[in-house]
């Protein structure tokens, strides 16, 4: 079994309050769940225009896991209401 972790650092568009930030972040996380991953906001909670999305997935083969994480990254990168600033990825295998 392999576990994959993806952290996406994003800049939100025109957001002026933490409540408005939630209305932008929650739909993105819900959409990511449809890819069969676990997704949550893992950082930058107090900053209005920034967020860190943490995504985790499990798979039986490393190539399939990379494909799933690639799909999640592409989905976020293609959104027009936010800007993907940085991506960090880690894969854990049986020997870890």
């Amino acid at each position: 079994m392999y576990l994959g972790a993806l952290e996406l650092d994003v800049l939100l568009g025109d957001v002026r309050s933490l409540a408005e930030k939630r209305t932008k972040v929650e739909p993105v996380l819900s959409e990511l769940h449809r890819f069969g991953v676990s997704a949550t906001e893992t950082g930058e909670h107090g900053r209005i225009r920034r967020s860190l999305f943490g995504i985790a997935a499990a798979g039986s083969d490393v190539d399939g896991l990379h494909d799933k994480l690639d799909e999640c990254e592409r989905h976020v990168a293609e959104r027009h209401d936010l800007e993907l600033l940085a991506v960090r990825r880690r894969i854990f295998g049986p020997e870890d």
Side-chain angles (χ1 to χ4, degrees):
M1 176 173 71
Y2 295 90
L3 301 174
L6 189 64
E7 186 177 61
L8 306 176
D9 186 359
V10 298
L11 176 66
L12 302 170
D14 187 28
V15 176
R16 294 191 170 103
S17 71
L18 290 175
E20 191 176 349
K21 176 184 178 178
R22 275 193 303 279
T23 66
K24 297 271 188 180
V25 168
E26 288 175 3
V28 177
L29 296 175
S30 293
E31 292 166 6
L32 289 169
H33 290 139
R34 292 189 203 129
F35 292 106
V37 299
S38 177
T40 190
E41 185 179 19
T42 58
E44 303 292 0
H45 294 91
R47 295 180 70 189
I48 293 174
R49 294 194 60 221
R50 292 287 294 274
S51 184
L52 288 175
F53 297 155
I55 299 166
S60 59
D61 70 284
V62 72
D63 292 332
L65 188 56
H66 275 294
D67 289 345
K68 184 178 286 198
L69 295 177
D70 287 344
E71 192 174 22
C72 291
E73 181 180 340
R74 247 189 328 275
H75 177 74
V76 172
E78 292 172 353
R79 293 187 62 95
H80 299 291
D81 57 340
L82 54 84
E83 180 182 348
L84 184 58
L85 300 175
V87 178
R88 288 170 286 286
R89 181 183 299 215
R90 181 92 192 262
I91 302 293
F92 302 92
E95 57 280 341
D96 290 324

